[in-house]
Amino acid sequence: MTCIGTAGHIDHGKSTLVKALTGIDPDRLTEEKVRGMTIDLGFAWLTLPDGREVSLIDVPGHEGFIKNMLAGVGGIDVALLVVAADEGAMPQTREHLAILDLLQVRSGVVALTKADLVDEEWLALVSEEIATLLQPTSLAGAPIVPVSAISGQGIAALLAHLQEATARAPERPDRGRPRLPVDRVFTLAGFGTIVTGTLIDGCFRPGQEVEILPRGLKARIRGLQRHRQAISVAQPGERTALNLAGIAHQEVERGDVVTLPGLLQPTTLIDVRLRLLADAPRPLSHNALVDFYCGAQVVPATVRLLEDDELLPGESTWAQLRLHQPTVVERHDRFIVRIPSPSLTIGGGAVLDAHPRYHRRRRSEVLHHLETLAQGSPEAIILTHLEQPVRRMTGTTRLQWPAYETAELARLSNLTQPVTQQALETLLTQRRVRRVGTYWFALSVWQALSEEALRLVRDYHVQFPLRSGLSKEEWRSRLHLPPRLAMEVFETLRSEGLLTEAGSAGLLRLPEFLPTLSAEQQRQVERLIQVFRENPFMPPTRGEAEALIGEELVNALLERGELVKMGDGTILFLREAYERAVALITSYLQEHGTITVAQARDLLGTTRKYVLPLLEHMDEQRITRRVGDLRVRLPQPAGT
């Protein structure tokens, strides 16, 4: 569905024209009716001659209510610029037109109202003036239609031109990421909280859980309406009213965004292409403070110019805006910037990246990256995200390898998922990306990551040549990979024969690596094993063993399974002694049914110091089970 928005100077007849077109008075506030002046947004709808129904937003024309005007025009598809024929273009005509141009509203109609109050010659002069005014803007060539809301003159022609303009307006894309910038919040008895706005992208349905950002509040859609009629699904571009359950109307404000949980993230830093209006009163300086308007929201912002120290009127540049409050925007969103004092629209532009890293100024690689985002193909845009590492400070600088799933890349690039998938397949054919499980890497990033992943294991082998391998968790942590991505990376490297797992202990090693003892180390091990064999059930403790041959050799014997540690690891048994002890105890249990600590001690000819950890270890291995002061044998799987 298409949304039409009015624009124009105060007292030029916008609201009167809307009522003449639709039969609906858009001035809903008592103060508006008393003062005869539109203060806030008004809403109506009309049926075009071809039967299509369209929404209509009426905006205030007074310069003091420009904030309200901007909350409404961010979601329109077609502009209805209203100019009084007896006055011609006035200050708010020009500012509203500049805003429409900055928002790149390319489809529209000019209504020359009060045409019955002037003669034909004057009407021709005003029409020529407006055509000249439109020429350098996105509405250049828009039809200019003389009308009178009082007599009905030109209303039929205006409707016909509006029908043509709505047909020319681009269709709203559906990328499956619904968001509704809230421009009105109210409550109705028996219904509760109701919010309205123009739905961007995606669809909403009754029963869905939604999230209100940037507040992070959750609610559920109780019902949907369009033009006061209940609907089962809200489509992109539609004026939509959401009846929300689970949230009070005081918790939501104009400028909030309703979306699906977890779909969008607020931001405080954005990359933009910024244009300063040609009639801006002065250049815009680096670090200037402005008010940032996007959708229905307004937040203070600091402008970081990335190319020069100032932006001259009529020129454009790359910039980062540091938003003073968390804000919800997406790539390609159009925005307006105004200076707060004197209150004036000075420029606007488009969002290139809603979640960038902080850029240093005057860096050619940064400017090239932004140029690609602004003009690049889907393949180039996707590569900019895949090739750009994100550095985060957490005590030390950590490198996060950029890897994304298809849906996340589509969101970051503001592309549909099919277009994203096709671009990734093209890049895969060109050997510029690598698929790793469900994730995508730029090939250069994957090569760097895989080299680092193997280097960590290789260095560990050099540092600890007697150990079987590096723990998988330590490997993941040192690479700064989230668990699921780490698993995909390991499985890929294992499938390529570059990395393998040592036993079942979660240790990683290179396939060609085997722990090897030197001749001297082998002699030391043999002497230790002899000591263990001399007293199989009262062997040296771990501390005593390490005193004889060193910690590294003891760890190597544990990893190889030649030694078995009991409990906290203080007590060690030689593998053969451990298996013999288990066999003796289980044989005793088969004959007697139960065994006490004292009986096990006497059976093995040992002490409580050794038999207690042994019995607890057998409990942990589910060979036995403790019942009071007794142990009983647990049923064992076949073949054990």
Side-chain angles (χ1 to χ4, degrees):
M1 177 170 287
T2 305
C3 185
I4 300 171
T6 65
H9 197 75
I10 185 173
D11 284 337
H12 278 206
K14 294 186 295 298
S15 300
T16 303
L17 181 60
V18 169
K19 187 173 182 180
L21 289 169
T22 67
I24 300 169
D25 185 356
D27 288 341
R28 51 190 169 79
L29 304 178
T30 302
E31 185 181 358
E32 291 177 318
K33 298 182 185 300
V34 170
R35 296 174 64 178
M37 179 177 70
T38 299
I39 296 172
D40 204 355
L41 299 175
F43 307 98
W45 59 91
L46 67 92
T47 302
L48 297 171
D50 62 5
R52 284 184 296 128
E53 192 173 73
V54 296
S55 303
L56 205 153
I57 301 175
D58 185 40
V59 305
H62 192 286
E63 63 177 342
F65 302 114
I66 192 72
K67 181 176 179 178
N68 294 341
M69 181 269 183
L70 285 164
V73 296
I76 69 170
D77 306 294
V78 174
L80 176 56
L81 180 62
V82 177
V83 182
D86 60 340
E87 290 190 337
M90 298 291 283
Q92 290 311 111
T93 309
R94 299 176 187 277
E95 184 170 15
H96 284 203
L97 180 58
I99 289 168
L100 294 173
D101 181 46
L102 290 167
L103 295 175
Q104 289 295 282
V105 179
R106 297 185 176 279
S107 186
V109 181
V110 179
L112 278 184
T113 55
K114 306 180 184 181
D116 55 333
L117 301 182
V118 299
D119 57 32
E120 290 296 323
E121 184 179 358
W122 182 261
L123 198 61
L125 287 172
V126 174
S127 296
E128 184 177 347
E129 175 199 22
I130 298 304
T132 302
L133 191 64
L134 296 177
Q135 193 56 45
T137 74
S138 60
L139 291 177
I144 301 170
V145 185
V147 296
S148 170
I150 304 303
S151 69
Q153 172 191 344
I155 294 296
L158 179 59
L159 281 170
H161 282 293
L162 285 173
Q163 177 173 290
E164 293 173 5
T166 58
R168 289 195 305 270
E171 188 175 342
R172 293 274 181 170
D174 183 352
R175 301 184 182 91
R177 300 193 295 271
R179 55 184 171 125
L180 183 130
V182 175
D183 55 32
R184 188 182 176 207
V185 184
F186 59 97
T187 184
L188 287 177
F191 290 91
T193 302
I194 296 172
V195 301
T196 70
T198 303
L199 182 59
I200 301 172
D201 207 339
C203 300
F204 279 137
R205 292 177 173 80
Q208 282 182 308
E209 184 184 30
V210 294
E211 185 174 22
I212 293 89
L213 296 175
R215 303 170 188 274
L217 301 174
K218 301 290 178 63
R220 182 178 55 81
I221 299 177
R222 180 182 291 167
L224 294 168
Q225 281 196 359
R226 180 186 65 237
H227 304 161
R228 298 182 184 171
Q229 298 295 316
I231 55 175
S232 59
V233 58
Q235 304 282 355
E238 289 184 340
R239 286 292 308 170
T240 306
L242 277 63
N243 183 196
L244 299 179
I247 192 168
H249 75 278
Q250 300 94 333
E251 297 180 270
V252 189
E253 293 181 357
R254 172 178 285 177
D256 290 345
V257 174
V258 182
T259 183
L260 298 182
L263 192 63
L264 303 175
Q265 294 294 326
T267 183
T268 55
L269 188 68
I270 57 176
D271 288 342
V272 302
R273 183 66 177 175
L274 178 64
R275 174 162 69 95
L276 197 63
L277 291 174
D279 59 357
R282 59 182 179 272
L284 184 68
S285 300
H286 174 64
N287 281 336
L289 296 177
V290 298
D291 288 330
F292 171 83
Y293 292 80
C294 187
Q297 59 202 335
V298 53
V299 296
T302 301
V303 180
R304 297 189 65 248
L305 300 178
L306 298 177
E307 293 183 90
D308 296 298
D309 290 330
E310 64 179 16
L311 175 63
L312 299 177
E315 295 187 355
S316 299
T317 191
W318 308 113
Q320 278 196 316
L321 299 186
R322 184 161 51 81
L323 307 171
H324 296 190
Q325 300 166 12
T327 308
V328 180
V329 297
E330 286 286 276
R331 184 171 130 77
H332 292 317
D333 282 357
R334 306 293 305 187
F335 65 87
I336 301 295
V337 291
R338 307 184 84 240
I339 51 175
S341 181
S343 182
L344 185 68
T345 299
I346 60 168
V351 176
L352 301 176
D353 192 342
H355 300 276
R357 60 175 177 171
Y358 182 88
H359 298 313
R360 292 181 179 272
R361 301 176 65 218
R362 298 187 176 93
R363 293 295 182 94
S364 59
E365 67 274 16
V366 170
L367 303 180
H368 175 72
H369 166 72
L370 296 175
E371 183 75 38
T372 300
L373 284 179
Q375 300 182 10
S377 64
E379 290 81 4
I381 291 168
I382 287 169
L383 273 179
T384 63
H385 294 295
L386 290 177
E387 290 177 340
Q388 187 174 19
V390 180
R391 291 190 179 271
R392 305 183 189 281
M393 294 302 295
T394 56
T396 58
T397 302
R398 295 176 52 185
L399 181 65
Q400 177 180 307
W401 309 97
Y404 301 100
E405 295 181 288
T406 304
E408 178 68 3
L409 271 175
R411 190 193 70 77
L412 286 171
S413 305
N414 205 23
L415 300 168
T416 64
Q417 197 150 322
V419 168
T420 302
Q421 185 64 45
Q422 181 59 52
L424 286 167
E425 295 295 340
T426 300
L427 291 169
L428 188 62
T429 302
Q430 297 171 349
R431 297 181 59 80
R432 301 174 73 187
V433 298
R434 175 66 190 266
R435 182 165 29 203
V436 177
T438 60
Y439 293 90
W440 292 91
F441 286 87
L443 186 60
S444 58
V445 173
W446 169 251
Q447 289 170 341
L449 172 58
S450 56
E451 287 173 8
E452 178 67 6
L454 297 175
R455 184 194 65 78
L456 286 175
V457 179
R458 187 181 302 111
D459 289 354
Y460 190 85
H461 290 334
V462 172
Q463 186 177 1
F464 303 104
L466 300 181
R467 298 185 185 181
S468 296
L470 175 63
S471 94
K472 192 179 290 186
E473 180 55 31
E474 182 180 350
W475 176 80
R476 182 194 72 78
S477 176
R478 290 170 67 180
L479 285 172
H480 309 299
L481 295 174
R484 193 159 69 89
L485 178 56
M487 181 188 69
E488 299 279 22
V489 170
F490 168 67
E491 291 298 333
T492 300
L493 293 174
R494 179 163 66 174
S495 69
E496 294 176 348
L498 298 173
L499 207 57
T500 189
E501 204 164 359
S504 58
L507 301 177
L508 303 183
R509 64 177 177 85
L510 301 179
E512 66 275 12
F513 173 77
L514 286 174
T516 305
L517 303 180
S518 67
E520 176 57 29
Q521 289 170 332
Q522 186 62 45
R523 283 192 292 270
Q524 289 179 307
V525 166
E526 289 171 358
R527 283 198 299 268
L528 180 68
I529 289 175
Q530 183 59 36
V531 174
F532 269 83
R533 283 175 177 160
E534 289 171 358
N535 294 284
F537 302 133
M538 287 191 294
T541 63
R542 182 165 186 164
E544 292 168 340
E546 289 177 353
L548 288 171
I549 67 172
E551 182 182 355
E552 277 301 299
L553 277 177
V554 171
N555 284 333
L557 292 174
L558 285 167
E559 284 189 7
R560 288 159 57 168
E562 294 184 46
L563 292 179
V564 182
K565 66 180 180 180
M566 306 290 115
D568 62 2
T570 303
I571 302 300
L572 305 178
F573 276 76
L574 197 61
R575 168 68 63 181
E576 60 192 50
Y578 166 73
E579 292 174 350
R580 183 178 165 207
V582 171
L584 287 170
I585 291 171
T586 54
S587 177
Y588 185 94
L589 287 170
Q590 283 178 334
E591 182 178 351
H592 300 283
T594 63
I595 192 170
T596 65
V597 172
Q599 289 167 337
R601 178 197 64 199
D602 295 342
L603 178 65
L604 299 178
T606 186
T607 67
R608 290 177 63 88
K609 172 183 174 180
Y610 294 96
V611 82
L612 273 175
L614 173 63
L615 290 173
E616 290 170 356
H617 183 78
M618 291 175 67
D619 293 341
E620 291 172 3
Q621 298 299 310
R622 300 190 61 79
I623 301 170
T624 57
R625 184 180 68 207
R626 181 177 177 179
V627 181
D629 292 333
L630 303 173
R631 254 67 178 197
V632 298
R633 190 182 185 205
L634 288 174
Q636 300 300 300
T640 61

